[in-house]
Every structure is written in C-alpha cells, then in structure tokens.
Amino acid sequence: MTNDGHLPPGLAALPKAEFAFPGPLRDQLVAAILDGSKTSTTGVVADYEHEGEALPEPGERSVVVDSADRPVAVIETTGVRVVPLGEVDLAHAVDEGEGYTTVAEWRAGHELFWHGAEFRAALDDPGYTVTDATPLVLQRFRVVSDLRRH
C-alpha cells in the first residue's frame, strides 16, 4: 500500500477478499490470516450464486481488506473443493484458524454465522438455513504479500 492508502499499481485490479462482515469477527479472521494460522475459508455456494460471482479457482489472487476496508494482504487461492456441509473434514476446520478442534465446533460456529440476520439479509432470504446437503466452497489460500509492510 502506498502512503496515501491506495493500492500500488497492479493490485488495484485484484478483487477484494472480504472475510465475514466488518466488525469483531472480520478483525479476528484478518488477524489469523496475517499471523499465518488461517489458511482456509468456507463459503456457501448459494452466496456466490446470489452475488453472481464465479467460484474461486487455484492461482487467483485477491486483496484482503479489514473492517475499515483497508487493504492488508494479497492472498492466492491454492485449492478449491465443493462439498456438502456434512462432509467437511477436520483438517479444513482446523486450518480456518479460529481455534476449532472438532468438526462439530466448526459447524456450530459457522451455523451461527450462516443463520444470522446479517447473512440472511445478504442472501435476501430471512429463513435461510443449512443442512448436511448444503453445498459449500472450501477454499485454501496462502498470503503472498503483507501490505502492512509497504
């Protein structure tokens, strides 16, 4: 990032990576990305469809923003799997960097988010719920640039 808060040339064209909604959860997730403990994330296929966005693909890069919409890092997708919620594995749950030690803990935390008013409003579906069959996007990534150091 340049001193005036703008992205350097070449990075401005990258899509934004927004983890959760602005606030304490996003701050926690961004900190985990920056300290290296978060190397995976989970999305709901329905969210991508609602936004008209393509699913991530390996090799794609995006700019992680914090709660104040400041760019803090560039990440590169290293792997993508679409699996039903009931098939999420422990390695993915642990690599989310949120301190989960079981898939059940991971699922409970994510269901709170997906069943929350903000997520339901974002989908324009006040009754949205997930089940074992709900298709999820399991994305692995790595930090390629920490923009706080520039």
Short mmCIF file of all heavy atoms in Angstrom, two decimals, residues 62-112:
data_model
loop_
_atom_site.label_atom_id
_atom_site.label_comp_id
_atom_site.label_asym_id
_atom_site.label_seq_id
_atom_site.Cartn_x
_atom_site.Cartn_y
_atom_site.Cartn_z
N SER A 62 -6.40 -12.20 -4.58
CA SER A 62 -7.34 -11.17 -4.15
C SER A 62 -6.73 -10.38 -2.99
O SER A 62 -5.77 -10.83 -2.35
CB SER A 62 -8.68 -11.77 -3.76
OG SER A 62 -8.52 -12.77 -2.78
N VAL A 63 -7.29 -9.21 -2.76
CA VAL A 63 -6.80 -8.31 -1.72
C VAL A 63 -7.70 -8.42 -0.50
O VAL A 63 -8.90 -8.14 -0.57
CB VAL A 63 -6.77 -6.85 -2.22
CG1 VAL A 63 -6.32 -5.91 -1.12
CG2 VAL A 63 -5.86 -6.73 -3.44
N VAL A 64 -7.12 -8.84 0.62
CA VAL A 64 -7.85 -8.94 1.88
C VAL A 64 -8.00 -7.54 2.47
O VAL A 64 -7.02 -6.79 2.54
CB VAL A 64 -7.11 -9.85 2.88
CG1 VAL A 64 -7.84 -9.89 4.23
CG2 VAL A 64 -6.95 -11.25 2.31
N VAL A 65 -9.24 -7.21 2.86
CA VAL A 65 -9.49 -5.91 3.50
C VAL A 65 -9.94 -6.12 4.94
O VAL A 65 -10.56 -7.12 5.27
CB VAL A 65 -10.53 -5.07 2.72
CG1 VAL A 65 -10.00 -4.70 1.34
CG2 VAL A 65 -11.87 -5.76 2.63
N ASP A 66 -9.60 -5.14 5.77
CA ASP A 66 -10.01 -5.20 7.17
C ASP A 66 -11.38 -4.54 7.34
O ASP A 66 -12.02 -4.16 6.36
CB ASP A 66 -8.94 -4.59 8.08
CG ASP A 66 -8.71 -3.10 7.86
OD1 ASP A 66 -9.53 -2.44 7.18
OD2 ASP A 66 -7.70 -2.59 8.38
N SER A 67 -11.81 -4.37 8.57
CA SER A 67 -13.14 -3.81 8.84
C SER A 67 -13.29 -2.37 8.37
O SER A 67 -14.40 -1.91 8.12
CB SER A 67 -13.48 -3.90 10.33
OG SER A 67 -13.73 -5.25 10.68
N ALA A 68 -12.17 -1.67 8.23
CA ALA A 68 -12.21 -0.29 7.74
C ALA A 68 -12.02 -0.23 6.23
O ALA A 68 -11.82 0.84 5.67
CB ALA A 68 -11.14 0.54 8.45
N ASP A 69 -12.07 -1.39 5.57
CA ASP A 69 -11.92 -1.51 4.12
C ASP A 69 -10.50 -1.16 3.66
O ASP A 69 -10.28 -0.82 2.51
CB ASP A 69 -12.96 -0.66 3.38
CG ASP A 69 -13.27 -1.22 1.99
OD1 ASP A 69 -13.39 -2.45 1.85
OD2 ASP A 69 -13.37 -0.42 1.05
N ARG A 70 -9.53 -1.27 4.57
CA ARG A 70 -8.13 -1.04 4.22
C ARG A 70 -7.52 -2.33 3.70
O ARG A 70 -7.68 -3.38 4.33
CB ARG A 70 -7.33 -0.58 5.43
CG ARG A 70 -7.63 0.82 5.91
CD ARG A 70 -6.73 1.18 7.08
NE ARG A 70 -6.91 0.24 8.18
CZ ARG A 70 -7.46 0.55 9.35
NH1 ARG A 70 -7.84 1.77 9.60
NH2 ARG A 70 -7.60 -0.37 10.28
N PRO A 71 -6.79 -2.29 2.59
CA PRO A 71 -6.11 -3.49 2.10
C PRO A 71 -4.97 -3.87 3.03
O PRO A 71 -4.16 -3.01 3.38
CB PRO A 71 -5.59 -3.07 0.73
CG PRO A 71 -5.86 -1.63 0.56
CD PRO A 71 -6.60 -1.12 1.75
N VAL A 72 -4.93 -5.13 3.46
CA VAL A 72 -3.89 -5.56 4.40
C VAL A 72 -3.02 -6.69 3.88
O VAL A 72 -1.92 -6.90 4.38
CB VAL A 72 -4.49 -5.96 5.77
CG1 VAL A 72 -5.13 -4.74 6.45
CG2 VAL A 72 -5.50 -7.08 5.63
N ALA A 73 -3.51 -7.44 2.87
CA ALA A 73 -2.73 -8.56 2.35
C ALA A 73 -3.25 -8.97 0.98
O ALA A 73 -4.40 -8.69 0.64
CB ALA A 73 -2.79 -9.75 3.29
N VAL A 74 -2.39 -9.64 0.24
CA VAL A 74 -2.81 -10.30 -1.00
C VAL A 74 -2.72 -11.79 -0.73
O VAL A 74 -1.71 -12.27 -0.21
CB VAL A 74 -1.91 -9.91 -2.20
CG1 VAL A 74 -2.30 -10.71 -3.44
CG2 VAL A 74 -1.98 -8.41 -2.46
N ILE A 75 -3.81 -12.50 -1.05
CA ILE A 75 -3.79 -13.95 -0.90
C ILE A 75 -3.95 -14.59 -2.28
O ILE A 75 -4.50 -13.99 -3.20
CB ILE A 75 -4.90 -14.47 0.05
CG1 ILE A 75 -6.30 -14.02 -0.41
CG2 ILE A 75 -4.60 -14.05 1.48
CD1 ILE A 75 -7.45 -14.66 0.36
N GLU A 76 -3.45 -15.83 -2.38
CA GLU A 76 -3.59 -16.61 -3.60
C GLU A 76 -4.30 -17.91 -3.26
O GLU A 76 -3.90 -18.60 -2.31
CB GLU A 76 -2.21 -16.92 -4.19
CG GLU A 76 -2.28 -17.75 -5.46
CD GLU A 76 -0.90 -18.01 -6.01
OE1 GLU A 76 -0.24 -18.96 -5.52
OE2 GLU A 76 -0.48 -17.26 -6.90
N THR A 77 -5.33 -18.22 -4.00
CA THR A 77 -6.06 -19.48 -3.80
C THR A 77 -5.17 -20.63 -4.25
O THR A 77 -4.63 -20.61 -5.35
CB THR A 77 -7.38 -19.46 -4.60
OG1 THR A 77 -8.18 -18.37 -4.14
CG2 THR A 77 -8.14 -20.77 -4.47
N THR A 78 -5.03 -21.62 -3.38
CA THR A 78 -4.20 -22.78 -3.69
C THR A 78 -5.03 -24.05 -3.92
O THR A 78 -4.52 -25.02 -4.46
CB THR A 78 -3.16 -23.04 -2.58
OG1 THR A 78 -3.86 -23.26 -1.34
CG2 THR A 78 -2.21 -21.86 -2.43
N GLY A 79 -6.29 -24.02 -3.52
CA GLY A 79 -7.15 -25.18 -3.72
C GLY A 79 -8.60 -24.84 -3.45
O GLY A 79 -8.88 -23.96 -2.63
N VAL A 80 -9.49 -25.50 -4.18
CA VAL A 80 -10.93 -25.29 -4.01
C VAL A 80 -11.63 -26.64 -4.13
O VAL A 80 -11.35 -27.41 -5.04
CB VAL A 80 -11.50 -24.34 -5.09
CG1 VAL A 80 -13.00 -24.16 -4.94
CG2 VAL A 80 -10.79 -22.99 -5.06
N ARG A 81 -12.52 -26.90 -3.17
CA ARG A 81 -13.37 -28.09 -3.23
C ARG A 81 -14.80 -27.65 -2.95
O ARG A 81 -15.02 -26.81 -2.08
CB ARG A 81 -12.98 -29.12 -2.17
CG ARG A 81 -11.62 -29.72 -2.31
CD ARG A 81 -11.37 -30.80 -1.24
NE ARG A 81 -11.25 -30.20 0.09
CZ ARG A 81 -11.57 -30.81 1.22
NH1 ARG A 81 -12.06 -32.03 1.22
NH2 ARG A 81 -11.43 -30.20 2.38
N VAL A 82 -15.75 -28.23 -3.66
CA VAL A 82 -17.16 -28.03 -3.34
C VAL A 82 -17.66 -29.33 -2.75
O VAL A 82 -17.59 -30.38 -3.39
CB VAL A 82 -17.98 -27.64 -4.59
CG1 VAL A 82 -19.46 -27.51 -4.24
CG2 VAL A 82 -17.47 -26.32 -5.18
N VAL A 83 -18.07 -29.26 -1.48
CA VAL A 83 -18.52 -30.46 -0.76
C VAL A 83 -19.77 -30.13 0.04
O VAL A 83 -19.99 -28.98 0.42
CB VAL A 83 -17.44 -31.02 0.18
CG1 VAL A 83 -16.16 -31.36 -0.56
CG2 VAL A 83 -17.14 -30.07 1.31
N PRO A 84 -20.60 -31.14 0.31
CA PRO A 84 -21.75 -30.91 1.19
C PRO A 84 -21.27 -30.61 2.61
O PRO A 84 -20.22 -31.13 3.04
CB PRO A 84 -22.52 -32.23 1.15
CG PRO A 84 -21.89 -33.06 0.09
CD PRO A 84 -20.54 -32.51 -0.19
N LEU A 85 -22.02 -29.82 3.33
CA LEU A 85 -21.68 -29.45 4.71
C LEU A 85 -21.36 -30.68 5.55
O LEU A 85 -20.42 -30.67 6.35
CB LEU A 85 -22.84 -28.66 5.33
CG LEU A 85 -22.75 -28.33 6.82
CD1 LEU A 85 -21.49 -27.58 7.16
CD2 LEU A 85 -23.98 -27.54 7.24
N GLY A 86 -22.09 -31.76 5.36
CA GLY A 86 -21.89 -32.97 6.15
C GLY A 86 -20.57 -33.67 5.90
O GLY A 86 -20.21 -34.60 6.62
N GLU A 87 -19.80 -33.22 4.88
CA GLU A 87 -18.53 -33.87 4.55
C GLU A 87 -17.30 -33.01 4.83
O GLU A 87 -16.19 -33.36 4.41
CB GLU A 87 -18.54 -34.31 3.08
CG GLU A 87 -19.54 -35.42 2.80
CD GLU A 87 -19.56 -35.85 1.35
OE1 GLU A 87 -18.57 -35.61 0.63
OE2 GLU A 87 -20.58 -36.42 0.94
N VAL A 88 -17.47 -31.90 5.53
CA VAL A 88 -16.32 -31.06 5.87
C VAL A 88 -15.42 -31.85 6.83
O VAL A 88 -15.90 -32.46 7.78
CB VAL A 88 -16.77 -29.73 6.50
CG1 VAL A 88 -15.57 -28.94 7.03
CG2 VAL A 88 -17.54 -28.90 5.47
N ASP A 89 -14.11 -31.83 6.55
CA ASP A 89 -13.17 -32.63 7.34
C ASP A 89 -12.47 -31.77 8.40
O ASP A 89 -12.47 -30.54 8.35
CB ASP A 89 -12.13 -33.29 6.43
CG ASP A 89 -11.39 -32.26 5.60
OD1 ASP A 89 -11.88 -31.88 4.51
OD2 ASP A 89 -10.31 -31.82 6.04
N LEU A 90 -11.87 -32.45 9.37
CA LEU A 90 -11.22 -31.79 10.49
C LEU A 90 -10.06 -30.90 10.03
O LEU A 90 -9.89 -29.80 10.56
CB LEU A 90 -10.72 -32.81 11.52
CG LEU A 90 -10.04 -32.22 12.76
CD1 LEU A 90 -10.99 -31.28 13.51
CD2 LEU A 90 -9.54 -33.33 13.66
N ALA A 91 -9.29 -31.34 9.06
CA ALA A 91 -8.15 -30.53 8.61
C ALA A 91 -8.62 -29.17 8.11
O ALA A 91 -8.01 -28.14 8.44
CB ALA A 91 -7.37 -31.26 7.51
N HIS A 92 -9.70 -29.14 7.36
CA HIS A 92 -10.23 -27.86 6.88
C HIS A 92 -10.68 -27.00 8.06
O HIS A 92 -10.37 -25.81 8.11
CB HIS A 92 -11.39 -28.08 5.89
CG HIS A 92 -11.96 -26.79 5.41
ND1 HIS A 92 -11.38 -26.06 4.40
CD2 HIS A 92 -13.05 -26.09 5.82
CE1 HIS A 92 -12.09 -24.95 4.22
NE2 HIS A 92 -13.10 -24.96 5.06
N ALA A 93 -11.40 -27.60 8.98
CA ALA A 93 -11.91 -26.86 10.14
C ALA A 93 -10.77 -26.25 10.95
O ALA A 93 -10.81 -25.08 11.33
CB ALA A 93 -12.77 -27.77 11.02
N VAL A 94 -9.72 -27.02 11.19
CA VAL A 94 -8.57 -26.54 11.96
C VAL A 94 -7.85 -25.43 11.20
O VAL A 94 -7.46 -24.41 11.79
CB VAL A 94 -7.61 -27.71 12.29
CG1 VAL A 94 -6.29 -27.20 12.83
CG2 VAL A 94 -8.27 -28.67 13.27
N ASP A 95 -7.69 -25.60 9.88
CA ASP A 95 -6.95 -24.63 9.08
C ASP A 95 -7.68 -23.30 8.91
O ASP A 95 -7.12 -22.34 8.39
CB ASP A 95 -6.60 -25.22 7.71
CG ASP A 95 -5.54 -26.30 7.81
OD1 ASP A 95 -4.89 -26.41 8.87
OD2 ASP A 95 -5.36 -27.04 6.82
N GLU A 96 -8.93 -23.23 9.37
CA GLU A 96 -9.63 -21.94 9.34
C GLU A 96 -9.07 -20.98 10.38
O GLU A 96 -9.37 -19.79 10.35
CB GLU A 96 -11.14 -22.13 9.54
CG GLU A 96 -11.79 -22.68 8.28
CD GLU A 96 -13.11 -22.05 7.97
OE1 GLU A 96 -13.53 -21.10 8.65
OE2 GLU A 96 -13.73 -22.50 7.01
N GLY A 97 -8.26 -21.48 11.30
CA GLY A 97 -7.54 -20.61 12.22
C GLY A 97 -8.40 -19.95 13.28
O GLY A 97 -8.01 -18.93 13.84
N GLU A 98 -9.54 -20.54 13.57
CA GLU A 98 -10.43 -19.94 14.56
C GLU A 98 -10.42 -20.72 15.88
O GLU A 98 -11.24 -20.46 16.76
CB GLU A 98 -11.85 -19.86 14.01
CG GLU A 98 -11.96 -18.92 12.82
CD GLU A 98 -13.35 -18.88 12.22
OE1 GLU A 98 -14.29 -18.50 12.93
OE2 GLU A 98 -13.48 -19.24 11.03
N GLY A 99 -9.50 -21.68 16.00
CA GLY A 99 -9.35 -22.41 17.24
C GLY A 99 -10.23 -23.65 17.36
O GLY A 99 -10.30 -24.24 18.44
N TYR A 100 -10.88 -24.05 16.28
CA TYR A 100 -11.73 -25.24 16.35
C TYR A 100 -10.87 -26.48 16.47
O TYR A 100 -9.84 -26.60 15.80
CB TYR A 100 -12.62 -25.35 15.10
CG TYR A 100 -13.57 -24.19 14.94
CD1 TYR A 100 -13.49 -23.35 13.84
CD2 TYR A 100 -14.55 -23.94 15.90
CE1 TYR A 100 -14.36 -22.28 13.69
CE2 TYR A 100 -15.42 -22.86 15.75
CZ TYR A 100 -15.32 -22.05 14.65
OH TYR A 100 -16.18 -20.99 14.52
N THR A 101 -11.31 -27.42 17.33
CA THR A 101 -10.59 -28.68 17.48
C THR A 101 -11.43 -29.87 17.03
O THR A 101 -10.94 -30.99 16.98
CB THR A 101 -10.15 -28.89 18.94
OG1 THR A 101 -11.30 -28.85 19.79
CG2 THR A 101 -9.16 -27.81 19.36
N THR A 102 -12.72 -29.62 16.71
CA THR A 102 -13.57 -30.67 16.17
C THR A 102 -14.42 -30.09 15.04
O THR A 102 -14.65 -28.87 14.99
CB THR A 102 -14.54 -31.24 17.23
OG1 THR A 102 -15.49 -30.22 17.59
CG2 THR A 102 -13.81 -31.74 18.48
N VAL A 103 -14.88 -30.96 14.17
CA VAL A 103 -15.78 -30.52 13.09
C VAL A 103 -17.09 -30.01 13.68
O VAL A 103 -17.68 -29.04 13.19
CB VAL A 103 -16.02 -31.66 12.07
CG1 VAL A 103 -17.08 -31.25 11.05
CG2 VAL A 103 -14.71 -32.00 11.36
N ALA A 104 -17.55 -30.63 14.77
CA ALA A 104 -18.81 -30.19 15.40
C ALA A 104 -18.70 -28.75 15.90
O ALA A 104 -19.62 -27.95 15.71
CB ALA A 104 -19.18 -31.13 16.55
N GLU A 105 -17.56 -28.37 16.52
CA GLU A 105 -17.35 -26.98 16.95
C GLU A 105 -17.35 -26.04 15.76
O GLU A 105 -17.96 -24.98 15.79
CB GLU A 105 -15.97 -26.83 17.64
CG GLU A 105 -15.86 -27.32 19.02
CD GLU A 105 -14.42 -27.13 19.53
OE1 GLU A 105 -13.53 -26.61 18.80
OE2 GLU A 105 -14.17 -27.53 20.68
N TRP A 106 -16.62 -26.44 14.72
CA TRP A 106 -16.54 -25.63 13.50
C TRP A 106 -17.93 -25.41 12.92
O TRP A 106 -18.31 -24.29 12.59
CB TRP A 106 -15.64 -26.34 12.48
CG TRP A 106 -15.66 -25.71 11.13
CD1 TRP A 106 -14.84 -24.72 10.68
CD2 TRP A 106 -16.56 -26.00 10.06
NE1 TRP A 106 -15.19 -24.37 9.40
CE2 TRP A 106 -16.23 -25.14 9.00
CE3 TRP A 106 -17.62 -26.90 9.90
CZ2 TRP A 106 -16.92 -25.17 7.79
CZ3 TRP A 106 -18.30 -26.91 8.70
CH2 TRP A 106 -17.95 -26.06 7.66
N ARG A 107 -18.71 -26.49 12.84
CA ARG A 107 -20.04 -26.39 12.25
C ARG A 107 -20.95 -25.48 13.09
O ARG A 107 -21.67 -24.65 12.55
CB ARG A 107 -20.67 -27.78 12.09
CG ARG A 107 -22.04 -27.71 11.45
CD ARG A 107 -22.55 -29.07 11.05
NE ARG A 107 -23.90 -28.98 10.53
CZ ARG A 107 -24.46 -29.92 9.80
NH1 ARG A 107 -23.78 -31.02 9.50
NH2 ARG A 107 -25.68 -29.77 9.36
N ALA A 108 -20.90 -25.64 14.40
CA ALA A 108 -21.75 -24.82 15.26
C ALA A 108 -21.42 -23.34 15.07
O ALA A 108 -22.33 -22.50 14.96
CB ALA A 108 -21.57 -25.23 16.72
N GLY A 109 -20.13 -23.00 15.01
CA GLY A 109 -19.73 -21.61 14.81
C GLY A 109 -20.18 -21.07 13.47
O GLY A 109 -20.65 -19.93 13.37
N HIS A 110 -20.05 -21.89 12.44
CA HIS A 110 -20.45 -21.44 11.10
C HIS A 110 -21.96 -21.36 10.95
O HIS A 110 -22.47 -20.46 10.27
CB HIS A 110 -19.81 -22.33 10.04
CG HIS A 110 -18.37 -22.00 9.81
ND1 HIS A 110 -17.40 -22.27 10.75
CD2 HIS A 110 -17.76 -21.37 8.80
CE1 HIS A 110 -16.24 -21.83 10.29
NE2 HIS A 110 -16.42 -21.27 9.12
N GLU A 111 -22.68 -22.27 11.58
CA GLU A 111 -24.15 -22.19 11.50
C GLU A 111 -24.65 -20.92 12.18
O GLU A 111 -25.60 -20.30 11.69
CB GLU A 111 -24.80 -23.43 12.09
CG GLU A 111 -24.70 -24.63 11.16
CD GLU A 111 -25.49 -25.83 11.62
OE1 GLU A 111 -26.23 -25.75 12.63
OE2 GLU A 111 -25.37 -26.88 10.96
N LEU A 112 -24.03 -20.50 13.28
CA LEU A 112 -24.41 -19.24 13.91
C LEU A 112 -24.28 -18.09 12.91
O LEU A 112 -25.15 -17.22 12.82
CB LEU A 112 -23.53 -18.95 15.13
CG LEU A 112 -23.90 -19.64 16.43
CD1 LEU A 112 -22.84 -19.37 17.49
CD2 LEU A 112 -25.27 -19.17 16.92
#
